[in-house]
């Protein structure tokens, strides 16, 4: 260890001049060396000692500031006096940490006395041993590593005091353990990797791997910038195969039996050892792909000798690639690294909007930087061109010529118009000047200016029926399907399509989407529907349920909350019980925690009113269905119903839940009495104006579905009372477009329990009539269903029953309408959207980079309030959302002079601006839209947020849309609203 003139410590001594002896003295003696070290400029000095031990060298300046500190050990034979804080410790130091097989390990021992001992090499067993004897308290012993030893091991030394030693008051036994590792050179595979030193963006780089023997090789290349951010270094696979293993050898000795007075003291010794170890919705479906990452993976390739790998570097990348390879043979593993510099003649930097819509007209700019290495110093004439896909068209010139000197840059602007073909649109830029060239591609999302919508029509007919009024939709992502059957179970096909395409995903809706897959396990005659994997649906549902389950076992409607949503929780229990009864694996902990919540809910007298007691009755039924004795809970709920709601519950689904519980408990008389009310209500014709309107997860369709489901499942004697008219009434809300996600899922369950397999020899025929007025047959039989797909040119659907058998049918259409609505539609809701400037005035023209305020105004029509309202507000093309962030410590309070308190951390960014009054339950900001879940009041409530103009152009304004998630006849749709114009900043003259 050396001291040099500038008062810091170098790594090692380079020469022998100025040799000084240092014998374990206090550090004052070390400071005596300091002036001498400073007196000889540029000379290195080495400190040595003839006394074994552990030492620390500190180098200090005149102010006693420690400039450096080095720990080191001296090994050798000597008698040392020790001051022990613990009884009879044996201190071990190995000469190094890594040894080759067959090499000797030098072990420095410092013991409290002289004596004899045993050295062993151990891990899971004893691999080598050697006896030794010492005449001094400090000595160096050796032991040889076995030739076949690999991995890590431990040197274990057991040392016994010499009988003649004067240290008679110390424990006669001391021991110590020190870890070491074995050199893995025999396991290293010889592999070399070379790569193309320099390559242009968009061109192929070649990586060549050379191995010394047959091997399986993987090559990967990654952007060096990414690796630096992640602080990644290529790992050695041998670290995995030779993971450090613990010492598993137990050592026993009988010395304490001979000298029992030391047995209690031996436990204080420290042996050491191992001490050095250490369900996406409402997203833009027409996603732009974005720039390709500079990442390459070759896969596993078997080679013998040399092999070349070619990788086309993305044209968007300029920088350094780190190339790495791993080679594996039967007994060896090797790694190697190389580098490739990616540098183009020109660097092209496109700037274009993330999303646009049909009819938008916008500017696309490309920055061009001249980075050609051997180009002349004068400006170069560079041609910049743009090539567009069929979905976009150029406005003006597609090529521009600019003059750029080496090291300089400029930008070129193209005007582009969006067409009608939806999807990711790829724009290709090129720059060329003589032998110099560069290319770059970038894409944007061309998506419609209207929300995705699903429409379902169902009906039954005994004669040929022609259904018209089909939607005009974009072909991209459009689904057009018709199905018909002699069985009403075909309605489940259309309801399943409706649930699959439903864009919102609260807990109830996610569970409703998963229910059809359970039902179709038992219906292979449903053809392609039976191919749905219920296990996948279950796993997805369970994953979401776990994230939304509270400590009490219940579930939140959107996220886990301290106060769980009662219906979402009991509905989740129904789904999990159905899944388990149909043979799927349901986690016990999830259902057990939920059962605790059901028990608490069922016995909570504070949950009252018919809606609350309906949920409690359902909770009792679900507990009873799992085999629990719920007599007390059942009596408590019914007693409260008789006291508080004696007339209202008699024909409600509440009575059906109680009846089913009594039936499961074998109290059949009470069960028959209670089920008669709901059954009679189902069999009684009722005008639409007298239907139950939706409130708190209950309406006409839901009530009918619960009754059919429970009667068919638990009351075989009363099942005959479910007349065909009753099933027609069950399906009437669907036919009248009054269904929702909950009623749809429960209707599928009800049809599953009620319907039986029928004869399939009289399936209806299906046909389409096109714009040319010609009729063409479509569809094919799958089990008990005749089903087919129709295209966008169809104007009418024909359903023809056969052999006098009435036909049930469903026609589902999902997609994006081609035309924006011409007029505002307000059915039970009113929604108005304005774009405002900084002064709160409507604005239609702005400058790129400006932020404008979006104001949504919502109110309920014909009702005091309407809950479960989904508002979808698409952003115009070329605009981005602006999230609001509160500055740190803005509301920390307290004394301004209190310096001991750190400022409060910044709150999470939010979307809403101050002044928003709309009661919002959940907000989902997306890349190209905002989705709100709110409650509409009878008076106007506002929601305000900001967007930023990021591209120059003229952009069509998309209409806002709001709908009730449970009342399909309650919605609001904005009409045509013109466009927003974004201009370039005006430059000073």
């Amino acid at each position: 260890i050396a001291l040099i003139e500038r008062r810091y410590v170098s790594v090692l001594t380079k020469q022998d001049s100025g040799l000084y002896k240092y014998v374990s003295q206090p550090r004052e003696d070390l400071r005596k060396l300091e002036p001498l070290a400073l007196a000889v400029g540029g000379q290195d000095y080495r400190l040595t000692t003839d006394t074994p031990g552990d030492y620390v060298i500190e180098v200090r300046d005149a102010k006693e500031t420690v400039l450096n500190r080095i720990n080191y050990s001296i090994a050798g034979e000597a008698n040392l006096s020790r001051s022990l804080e613990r009884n009879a410790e044996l201190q071990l130091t190995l000469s190094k940490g890594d040894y080759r097989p067959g090499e000797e390990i030098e072990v420095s021992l410092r013991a409290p006395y002289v004596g004899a001992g045993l050295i062993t090499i151990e891990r899971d067993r004893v691999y080598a041993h050697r006896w030794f004897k010492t005449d001094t308290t400090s000595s160096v012993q050796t032991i040889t590593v076995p030739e076949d030893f690999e991995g890590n091991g431990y040197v274990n030394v057991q040392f016994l005091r010499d009988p003649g030693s004067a240290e008679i008051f110390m424990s006669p036994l001391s021991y110590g353990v020190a870890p070491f590792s074995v050199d893995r050179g025999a396991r290293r595979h010889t592999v070399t990797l070379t790569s193309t030193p320099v390559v242009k963006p968009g061109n192929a780089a070649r990586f060549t791997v050379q191995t010394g023997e047959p091997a399986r090789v993987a090559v990967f290349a990654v952007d060096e910038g990414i690796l630096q951010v992640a602080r990644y270094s290529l790992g050695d696979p041998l670290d995995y195969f030779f993971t450090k293993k613990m010492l598993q050898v137990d050592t026993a000795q009988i010395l304490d039996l001979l000298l029992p007075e030391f047995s209690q003291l031996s436990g204080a010794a420290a042996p050491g050892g191992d001490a050095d170890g250490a369900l996406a919705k409402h997203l833009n479906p027409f996603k732009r792909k974005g720039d390709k990452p500079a990442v390459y993976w070759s896969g596993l390739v078997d080679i013998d000798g040399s092999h070349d790998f070619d990788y086309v570097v993305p044209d968007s990348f300029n920088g350094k690639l780190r190339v790495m390879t791993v080679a594996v043979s039967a007994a060896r593993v090797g790694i190697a690294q190389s580098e490739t510099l990616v540098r183009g003649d020109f660097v092209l930097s496109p700037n274009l909007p993330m999303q646009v819509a049909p009819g938008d007209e916008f500017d696309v700019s490309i920055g061009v930087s001249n980075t050609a290495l051997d180009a002349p110093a004068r400006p170069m004439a560079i041609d910049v061109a743009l090539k567009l896909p069929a979905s976009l068209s150029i406005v003006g010139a597609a090529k521009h010529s600019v003059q750029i000197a080496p090291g300089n840059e400029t930008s070129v602007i193209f005007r582009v118009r969006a067409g009608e073909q939806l999807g990711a649109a790829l724009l290709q830029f090129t720059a060329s000047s003589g032998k110099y060239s560069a290319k770059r591609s970038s894409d944007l999302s061309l998506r419609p200016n209207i929300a995705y919508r699903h429409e379902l029509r169902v009906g039954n007919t005994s004669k040929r029926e022609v259904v018209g009024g089909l939607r005009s939709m974009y072909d991209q992502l459009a689904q057009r399907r018709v199905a018909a059957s002699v069985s009403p179970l075909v309605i489940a096909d259309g309801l399943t399509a409706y649930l699959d395409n439903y864009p919102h995903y609260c807990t109830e809706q996610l569970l409703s989407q998963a229910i059809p897959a359970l039902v179709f396990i038992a219906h292979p005659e449903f053809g392609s529907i039976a191919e749905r994997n219920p296990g996948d649906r279950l796993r997805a549902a369970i994953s979401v349920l776990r994230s939304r389950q509270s400590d009490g076992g219940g579930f939140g409607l959107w996220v886990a909350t301290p106060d769980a949503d009662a219906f979402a929780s009991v509905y989740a229990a129904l789904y999990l019980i159905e899944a388990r009864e149909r043979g799927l694996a349901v986690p016990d902990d999830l259902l057990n925690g939920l059962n605790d919540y059901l028990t608490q809910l069922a016995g909570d007298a504070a949950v009252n009113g018919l809606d609350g007691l309906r949920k409690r009755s359902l909770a009792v039924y679900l507990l009873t269905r799992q085999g629990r004795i719920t007599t007390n809970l059942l009596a408590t709920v019914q007693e409260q119903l008789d006291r508080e709601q004696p007339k209202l519950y008699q024909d409600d689904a509440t009575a059906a839940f109680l009846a089913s519980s009594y039936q499961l408990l074998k109290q059949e008389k009470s069960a028959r009495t209670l089920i008669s009310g709901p059954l009679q209500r189902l069999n009684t014709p009722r005008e639409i104006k007298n239907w139950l309107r939706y409130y708190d997860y209950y309406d006409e369709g839901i009530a009918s579905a619960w009754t059919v489901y429970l009667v068919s499942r638990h009351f075989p004697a009363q099942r005959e009372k479910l007349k065909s008219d009753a099933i027609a009434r069950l399906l009437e809300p669907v036919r009248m477009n009054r269904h929702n996600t909950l009623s749809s899922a429960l209707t599928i369950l009800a049809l599953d329990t009620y319907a039986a397999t029928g004869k399939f020899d009289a399936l209806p025929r299906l046909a389409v009539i096109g714009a040319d007025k010609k009729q063409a047959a479509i569809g094919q039989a799958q089990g008990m269903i005749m089903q087919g797909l129709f295209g966008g040119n169809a104007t009418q659907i024909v359903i023809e029953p056969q052999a006098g058998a009435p036909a049930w049918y469903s026609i589902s259409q999902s997609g994006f309408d081609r035309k924006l609505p011409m007029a505002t539609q307000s059915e039970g809701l009113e929604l108005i959207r304005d774009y405002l400037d900084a002064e709160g005035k409507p604005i239609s023209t702005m400058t790129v980079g400006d932020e404008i305020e979006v104001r949504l105004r919502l109110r309920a029509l014909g009702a005091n309030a309407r809950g479960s309202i989904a508002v979808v507000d698409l952003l115009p093309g070329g605009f981005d959302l602006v999230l609001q962030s509160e500055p740190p410590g803005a509301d920390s309070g307290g004394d301004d002079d209190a310096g001991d308190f750190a400022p409060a951390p910044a709150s999470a960014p939010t979307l809403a601006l101050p002044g928003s009054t709309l009661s919002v339950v959940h907000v989902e900001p997306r890349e190209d839209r905002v989705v709100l879940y709110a409650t509409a009041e009878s008076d106007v409530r506002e929601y305000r947020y900001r967007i930023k103009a990021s591209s120059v152009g003229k952009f069509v304004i998309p209409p806002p849309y709001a709908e009730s998630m449970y009342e399909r006849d309650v919605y609001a749709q904005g009409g045509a609203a013109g466009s927003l114009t974004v201009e370039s900043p005006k430059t000073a003259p």
Side-chain angles (χ1 to χ4, degrees), residues 679-697:
L679 194 55
Q680 182 179 357
R681 186 183 190 284
L682 180 65
N683 285 321
T684 302
R686 187 180 300 266
E687 294 184 12
I688 294 179
K689 64 180 181 180
N690 296 325
W691 281 7
L692 293 169
R693 293 290 296 182
Y694 175 83
Y695 179 75
D696 198 15
Y697 302 104

Side-chain angles (χ1 to χ4, degrees), residues 285-290 354 389 391-392 421-427 442-447:
F286 302 101
K287 282 285 189 182
R288 57 191 180 92
K289 298 179 181 179
M354 289 190 295
S391 58
L392 301 176
Q421 185 176 343
L422 306 179
L426 184 67
L427 290 78
S442 188
D443 62 351
L444 54 78
S445 170
L446 177 50
R447 55 99 170 115

Side-chain angles (χ1 to χ4, degrees), residues 649-713:
Y649 90 92
Q650 297 295 334
D651 62 352
D652 191 88
T654 306
F657 297 142
L658 297 177
S660 300
S661 299
Y662 279 121
Q663 185 78 357
L664 289 170
L665 294 172
K666 304 302 181 183
Q667 299 183 33
E668 298 180 358
K669 182 178 180 181
S670 298
R672 286 195 302 271
T673 302
L674 284 167
I675 199 63
S676 62
L679 194 55
Q680 182 179 357
R681 186 183 190 284
L682 180 65
N683 285 321
T684 302
R686 187 180 300 266
E687 294 184 12
I688 294 179
K689 64 180 181 180
N690 296 325
W691 281 7
L692 293 169
R693 293 290 296 182
Y694 175 83
Y695 179 75
D696 198 15
Y697 302 104
Y698 199 67
D699 63 13
E700 190 72 22
I702 296 171
S704 299
W706 277 126
T707 302
V708 174
Y709 172 69
L710 295 171
V711 169
S712 300
R713 185 176 187 90

Side-chain angles (χ1 to χ4, degrees), residues 98-134:
D98 192 67
Y99 297 89
R100 298 186 305 275
E103 185 179 0
E104 282 192 341
I105 300 177
E106 293 185 343
V107 185
S108 173
L109 303 179
R110 292 191 292 279
Y113 37 66
V114 298
L118 173 66
I119 303 178
T120 56
I121 293 178
E122 305 173 352
R123 188 171 60 219
D124 54 330
R125 60 184 178 86
V126 176
Y127 288 86
H129 71 281
R130 177 176 175 271
W131 294 94
F132 70 95
K133 185 176 182 179
T134 68

Side-chain angles (χ1 to χ4, degrees), residues 122-124 127 150-154 179-180 240-248 274:
E122 305 173 352
R123 188 171 60 219
D124 54 330
Y127 288 86
E150 292 184 293
N152 71 295
Y154 299 87
F180 71 95
Y240 171 81
F241 292 104
F242 293 105
T243 303
K244 187 172 184 179
K245 297 181 179 179
M246 64 180 292
L247 178 59
Q248 303 178 51
D274 209 26

